[in-house]
Amino acid sequence: MKVFVDPDICMGCGVCETIAPLVFELGEDGIAKVLVDIVPVELEADVRQAVEECPEEAISIK
Ligand code: SF4
């Protein structure tokens, strides 16, 4: 699984970082960054939860 944050949509609420801090981190610009190239299998459920809970629907997975 790969995961992406659309920086034009993210409003920096930090929900994704709270759910999956090993995958998402708020950058100094206040926009969430993805820390991993490929999401480790054991973190995929957390990433799916972050996709569902992102209030801006800024996170997508492939
Ligand atoms: Fe941005 Fe969505 Fe993460 Fe909030 S949950 S910081 S809007 S990507």
Side-chain angles (χ1 to χ4, degrees), residues 32-49:
K33 313 291 183 206
V34 175
L35 301 175
V36 296
D37 185 31
I38 304 289
V39 176
V41 172
E42 65 271 21
L43 298 178
E44 287 187 354
D46 288 347
V47 169
R48 288 198 172 90
Q49 184 184 348

Side-chain angles (χ1 to χ4, degrees), residues 5 9-17 26 32 50 53-56 58-59:
V5 172
I9 301 176
C10 173
M11 50 87 156
C13 69
V15 166
C16 55
E17 185 182 48
L26 288 187
E53 297 197 17
C54 173
E56 300 297 315
I59 308 170

